[in-house]
Amino acid sequence: MAKMDEKLEVVYQDVLKRNPGEVEFHQAVREVLESIGPVLVKYPEFRERKIIERIAEPERQIIFRVPWQDDRGEVQINRGFRVQYNSALGPYKGGLRFHPSVYLGIVKFLGFEQIFKNALTGLPIGGGKGGSDFDPKGKSDNEVMRFCQSFMTELWRHIGDVTDVPAGDIGVGGREIGYMFGQFKRLTARYEAGVLTGKGLDYGGSLVRTEATGYGATFFVQEMLKARGNDTFGGKVCTVSGSGNVAIYTIEKIHQLGGKVVACSDSNGVIVDEKGIDLDLVKQLKERERRRIKDYVEYRTHAKYLHGGNIWEVPCQVAMPSATQNEINGKDAAMLVKNGCIAVGEGANMPTTPEGIKVFLDAKISYGPGKAANAGGVATSALEMQQNATRDSWTFEYTEKRLAHIMKNIHEACFNTAEEFGAKGNYVVGANIAGFMRVASAMVSHGLV
Ligand code: NDP
Ligand code: 2IT
């Protein structure tokens, strides 16, 4: 692990003691603390005002019971979370994750990352995250609806368009947001469109929100390629892990920009299609039919399915991890570098382990960390909030242009900040410092709250 400023090490030890067992949260905090030492030297008031200690502690944490009945009439109990992490820059904003692995440590790591990511967008949104250990896999539509209704029956009192605005994440897409919005409307008797983002286009959703995370991550990599020597996606062989929302629209944008994605995956295995992934087929299987990625080879018999395979062993020039946290370890990263990978753009949150990040930075490939590269999703959520507040709806072209512009600005901020702090080309340092600076300055302005 990299060395940390001595006083920050003390703060980190305190975080470990106060949040036992929450390993993903510790990892996310450590990465930020390792970057921001030089900022505290330059701006001692951040240390005097105990900004780091305050940022590490969520403003509010809500944990609740979610009882629901399955199709056989059996009662099921899940646990719900909402961590309202930091409101220095705006209402808490961040997604909800429904996955059996969700516990407080996952929600806190995601919420903590979200603070800096949202700051990087330059839009008025604070950081928060939530979710449940509910597993949507194999559940009927009615079961998902009853779960979402029960989840919202507690959550509604904590959220609102100027307090806290949830959206999707793993296991939460348009269907789940729709059921939760319906229940919120019923419980509050208010049509408060801006309380959730990622809504359907027929009831206040924004064009481009569905595509935004994947498109944005691809725009970010496009900027990194440009910065490293006027390079482009044209003709590049790429791999994209996952086959959910972020992966699908990453593949779509890479193909539009002239790259070729040869592999994608799910938690069971990897598809390798040397002719280029057939995205219409992936959309059919994953978005419409809710099937597994292995079924791809039923329709494209030349492609290979590697059950339990490792997508990072497939040679590529650009890798875009878009599934989950810690999916690239040190060995995977070394393999990618050895096989000629020159750029990694993280669609997922914290997909690379600290060992993996070190490999990428040492090899001097262009490495775009999630809190910068995948910020297009939440940025477009903020654009959805803008449209809701003005009861307007923008065209696809206009909204995509706004997204592209935001991603370009984020890249520039990360690039320039890294250079300013003596770490040219290190987007981890750039993203952490640029995001931190915005939040910390606002917190100083607000006094001790
Ligand atoms: P989806 O639920 O749409 O898709 C998730 C994909 O990742 C699926 O292919 C899933 O496979 C795979 N996956 C999930 N968990 C695991 C696991 N433990 N091991 C292996 N594979 C796994 O989610 P999204 O596409 O929305 O999210 C993907 C990532 O992007 C997450 O890290 C999320 O936090 C991040 N993100 C999402 C944003 C958004 O707007 N949706 C915005 C910014 C970041 P399987 O079906 O087998 O579980
Ligand atoms: O991790 C993320 O940025 C998201 N899941 C999207 C959050 C949002 O509020 O759109």
Side-chain angles (χ1 to χ4, degrees), residues 46-301:
F46 292 157
R47 210 188 300 263
E48 282 153 26
R49 304 311 298 160
K50 294 243 162 101
I51 296 295
I52 323 291
E53 291 86 335
R54 282 156 64 192
I55 279 189
E57 183 69 17
E59 289 177 17
R60 194 173 295 106
Q61 308 182 50
I62 302 144
I63 304 180
F64 51 97
R65 180 172 68 197
V66 189
W68 57 282
Q69 242 172 337
D70 68 20
D71 286 346
R72 292 171 307 159
E74 201 172 308
V75 173
Q76 303 284 343
I77 311 293
N78 285 99
R79 187 172 287 178
F81 302 88
R82 187 73 184 165
V83 173
Q84 299 182 328
Y85 219 121
N86 190 297
S87 61
L89 297 177
Y92 309 107
K93 181 81 197 88
L96 298 170
R97 177 178 290 192
F98 292 170
H99 192 272
S101 62
V102 167
Y103 76 107
L104 189 57
I106 292 277
V107 182
K108 274 161 69 179
F109 117 64
L110 290 164
F112 185 76
E113 291 275 296
Q114 200 82 46
I115 304 170
F116 307 101
K117 180 195 305 192
N118 294 5
L120 283 170
T121 67
L123 298 164
I125 39 180
K129 201 83 190 192
S132 174
D133 58 1
F134 174 73
D135 186 358
K137 269 193 211 107
K139 301 291 188 295
S140 72
D141 207 59
N142 274 320
E143 288 175 325
V144 170
M145 180 178 73
R146 286 195 295 274
F147 174 81
C148 288
Q149 289 177 339
S150 181
F151 186 84
M152 188 51 83
T153 300
E154 172 62 30
L155 189 67
W156 75 273
R157 70 187 74 249
H158 307 290
I159 63 176
D161 62 1
V162 295
T163 49
D164 183 356
V165 183
D169 195 83
I170 291 176
V172 178
R175 174 180 63 168
E176 291 73 20
I177 294 292
Y179 292 147
M180 287 190 274
F181 185 73
Q183 184 73 351
F184 179 88
K185 189 164 63 66
R186 189 174 189 197
L187 289 164
T188 58
R190 283 165 63 88
Y191 205 108
E192 193 179 319
V195 69
L196 291 168
T197 60
K199 298 182 294 294
L201 297 176
D202 44 356
Y203 67 95
S206 171
L207 285 162
V208 191
R209 178 62 190 89
T210 303
E211 295 84 356
T213 311
Y215 278 21
T218 311
F219 290 145
F220 191 90
V221 172
Q222 190 182 26
E223 291 299 317
M224 290 201 301
L225 290 172
K226 198 153 83 184
R228 68 177 282 126
N230 236 353
D231 207 352
T232 69
F233 265 105
K236 293 243 168 2
V237 172
C238 309
T239 55
V240 177
S241 64
S243 48
N245 171 265
V246 178
I248 286 174
Y249 292 96
T250 298
I251 298 171
E252 183 160 288
K253 188 49 79 180
I254 291 176
H255 285 171
Q256 284 173 14
L257 295 176
K260 181 162 92 167
V261 178
V262 297
C264 66
S265 62
D266 64 15
S267 57
N268 296 126
V270 180
I271 290 291
V272 181
D273 186 343
E274 301 290 351
K275 292 187 182 166
I277 292 289
D278 178 342
L279 190 61
D280 286 339
L281 176 56
V282 176
K283 284 185 181 178
Q284 175 199 324
L285 293 171
K286 302 303 290 190
E287 288 189 328
R288 295 194 285 282
E289 296 172 0
R290 295 181 188 277
R291 290 164 66 181
R292 307 300 297 161
I293 201 65
K294 73 169 167 29
D295 298 342
Y296 185 96
V297 292
E298 267 178 42
Y299 300 82
R300 294 289 173 270
T301 46

